């Protein structure tokens, strides 16, 4: 059996520090149930972060999530 993992995304400021206005002090952790793996990230024109990847429970599923402020 594989261990559960969560999807974690950080947003950084131009000086390299985490952006405290995003998620919990710059980090968002999403539990999509099972093993969550991000395979690609995209940044929208408005700053919205999109993460695409795979979610595995009893079988694999592809998913996309949108992370807002």
């Amino acid at each position: 059996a594989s261990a559960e993992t969560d999807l974690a995304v950080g947003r950084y400021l131009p000086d390299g520090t985490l952006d405290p206005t995003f998620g919990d002090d710059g980090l968002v952790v999403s539990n999509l149930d099972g093993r969550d793996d991000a395979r690609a990230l995209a940044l929208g024109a408005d700053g919205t972060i999109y993460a695409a990847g795979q979610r595995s429970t009893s079988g694999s599923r592809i998913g996309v999530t949108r992370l807002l402020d």
Side-chain angles (χ1 to χ4, degrees):
S2 63
E4 272 201 30
T5 58
D6 294 333
L7 174 70
V9 175
R11 184 167 74 185
Y12 294 86
L13 297 172
D15 68 1
T17 60
L18 286 168
D19 181 352
T21 67
F22 180 72
D24 187 16
D25 291 327
L27 296 173
V28 171
V29 178
S30 298
N31 181 352
L32 304 175
D33 193 25
R35 184 176 176 87
D36 310 322
D37 299 308
R39 303 294 173 104
L41 295 173
L43 185 61
D46 63 353
T48 300
I49 299 171
Y50 299 88
Q54 179 176 325
R55 178 184 140 236
S56 301
T57 51
S58 59
S60 293
R61 302 285 187 259
I62 296 172
V64 176
T65 189
R66 181 175 67 161
L67 304 167
L68 306 172
D69 289 344

